[in-house]
Amino acid sequence: MLKPKIIFADSFNLLDDVRKQFAALGNILQLTLDQREALLQEVSDADLVIAEYAQIDETLLNRGRKLKGILVYGTGTNHVDLGAVAGKGIPVTNTRGANAGAVAELTFSLMLNCIRRTAVAHRYVQGANWKSGDSGDLPDEFTGIELSNKILGIIGFGAIGRRVAGIGKGFGMNVCFYDPNLHGKLSPEVPARPCNDLDSLLQEADIVSVHAPLTPATCDLLNAHKLRLLKPSSILIVTSRGGIVNEEVLADMLARKEIAAAGLDVFRTEPLEKTSKLLTLDNVVLTPHIGGSTREAVVNISRTLIEQAAAIITGKTPINLITPANV
Ligand code: NAD
């Protein structure tokens, strides 16, 4: 029997033994993100496509007449036209939760960097600027603040938002969240209180952390009007998706010290454009979309993907089915 054709539409990390399991399950075609034309040609006889960032749109779906499933590597499904896929009756899955711990920990790495100026202090020492043993001679900017007793406002209280809440509690933070899909559905052990609306969270929080997906409803969610609700002392952390926060307004506000600092792992355009004002500021910490990149996450994602692929190929229902309604 002809083996199913499985396209890896971009070059994500997989465990070696899971790569072998995929090779046993089907004929694998490895593409890279810039091979859009090849993807459009090769999808015509493909059974499965696995994509982390590659666009899965109507053009591709119209060509993929044999497609039995789309597997998203990671959680964000903003590169998939979910309406179009649903219209074709093709199942879409993601690996929700598999890298939640990784993203939650990077969130705190960015947060701690913002409040203790770790990256700046590192450059200060490496640049041989540390010339006096008197702590009073150090620049004032190295007197940070502590997380304990600060209000952490989480936007999007899913797998990652909840992990962030748990870690925040561990730091002694007072955690609140805004998530329009969760009214009244939380169990009492969840360590956070709901905020009635986004505006109150933005006005109240000392540190705001964004964990909502990028959807038509969240695109530009933190626009100029919303960002101006933040306190001048506040810190904004974004590890979910660029496009949710207006980067130009944010950069201007950071430059004018209208908010204290920001830590960003994701950007509207990736890689971040060389012309971005964010690159010129010293009250930002920027990372190249590495939130979900840990060895542990690769293990979890690899195992989830092979399970989902095997289920779809053998006609079973895979775990983590995504619909336009449950994003
Ligand atoms: P999840 O689906 O478990 O949770 C997302 C939550 O956001 C849900 O509870 C949903 O109700 C909520 N939400 C939806 N619309 C909202 C809105 N308008 N306002 C506030 N909340 C809203 O997803 P997750 O696993 O927590 O991941 C969240 C996002 O993080 C993903 O969509 C992905 O884009 C991003 N992510 C980034 C990285 C990275 O490497 N930086 C890695 C993994 C995931």
Side-chain angles (χ1 to χ4, degrees):
M1 204 179 78
L2 197 63
K3 278 169 122 185
K5 176 173 172 181
I6 303 174
I7 300 181
F8 292 0
D10 34 0
S11 49
F12 37 75
N13 287 322
L14 272 185
L15 282 180
D16 287 345
D17 70 305
V18 169
R19 236 172 239 287
K20 286 183 193 141
Q21 290 175 50
F22 267 109
L25 184 68
N27 292 320
I28 307 302
L29 177 69
Q30 175 72 65
L31 297 176
T32 54
L33 189 52
D34 55 4
Q35 288 184 288
R36 167 81 177 166
E37 279 310 311
L39 176 60
L40 289 179
Q41 279 173 23
E42 293 289 348
V43 77
S44 60
D45 59 348
D47 295 271
L48 287 181
V49 174
I50 307 182
E52 183 175 20
Y53 301 119
Q55 284 294 323
I56 307 295
D57 53 16
E58 196 131 31
T59 310
L60 180 137
L61 295 167
N62 286 339
R63 297 192 185 191
R65 294 202 189 86
K66 273 186 68 192
L67 274 176
K68 296 188 181 67
I70 305 289
L71 274 55
V72 170
Y73 182 106
T75 315
T77 51
N78 48 293
H79 55 304
V80 180
D81 183 338
L82 293 174
V85 186
K88 304 246 177 233
I90 299 171
V92 184
T93 62
N94 71 357
T95 58
R96 178 177 184 264
N99 56 11
V103 182
E105 290 183 15
L106 188 86
T107 297
F108 279 87
S109 172
L110 294 174
M111 213 182 282
L112 290 163
N113 247 292
C114 284
I115 62 169
R116 302 305 300 272
R117 313 270 296 151
T118 325
V120 177
H122 168 80
R123 287 195 296 274
Y124 178 85
V125 176
Q126 277 202 329
N129 299 302
W130 187 21
K131 296 189 173 111
S132 160
D134 285 343
S135 64
D137 288 338
L138 287 170
D140 285 347
E141 65 176 322
F142 294 150
T143 305
I145 58 167
E146 296 176 23
L147 293 181
S148 179
N149 294 319
K150 298 295 181 300
I151 299 176
L152 170 60
I154 297 174
I155 301 175
F157 209 58
I160 299 171
R162 288 168 203 224
R163 292 289 279 262
V164 168
I167 300 172
K169 277 280 168 194
F171 274 107
M173 301 181 86
N174 174 352
V175 186
C176 61
F177 70 89
Y178 167 73
D179 191 318
N181 302 323
L182 285 182
H183 292 306
K185 286 191 220 153
L186 282 175
S187 48
E189 69 270 15
V190 173
R193 69 188 154 82
C195 258
N196 289 340
D197 53 61
L198 181 57
D199 288 13
S200 358
L201 179 142
L202 294 170
Q203 285 164 331
E204 196 188 337
D206 298 301
I207 299 174
V208 172
S209 195
V210 181
H211 301 289
L214 177 61
T215 66
T218 62
C219 184
D220 215 27
L221 181 70
L222 296 190
N223 55 23
H225 168 70
K226 296 289 183 205
L227 287 172
R228 290 203 182 100
L229 296 173
L230 292 165
K231 300 187 263 197
S233 58
S234 65
I235 288 164
L236 179 68
I237 307 294
V238 188
T239 57
S240 66
R241 280 292 180 270
I244 297 177
V245 181
N246 186 315
E247 280 168 24
E248 284 75 28
V249 174
L250 175 65
D252 285 342
M253 289 179 68
L254 286 161
R256 292 196 294 263
K257 309 278 189 267
E258 288 166 2
I259 61 173
L264 309 173
D265 183 49
V266 289
F267 305 90
R268 189 185 51 219
T269 303
E270 295 180 357
L272 182 59
E273 291 156 318
K274 290 197 179 80
T275 53
S276 171
K277 191 172 179 180
L278 290 168
L279 294 171
T280 66
L281 301 172
D282 79 344
N283 51 350
V284 291
V285 183
L286 310 174
T287 49
H289 201 145
I290 55 170
S293 302
T294 61
R295 290 183 195 162
E296 291 84 349
V298 171
V299 172
N300 296 338
I301 291 174
S302 300
R303 294 201 171 130
T304 305
L305 283 173
I306 188 69
E307 187 185 329
Q308 291 168 329
I312 293 175
I313 295 296
T314 55
K316 298 187 187 115
T317 305
I319 56 166
N320 292 358
L321 271 179
I322 301 293
T323 66
N326 72 1
V327 173

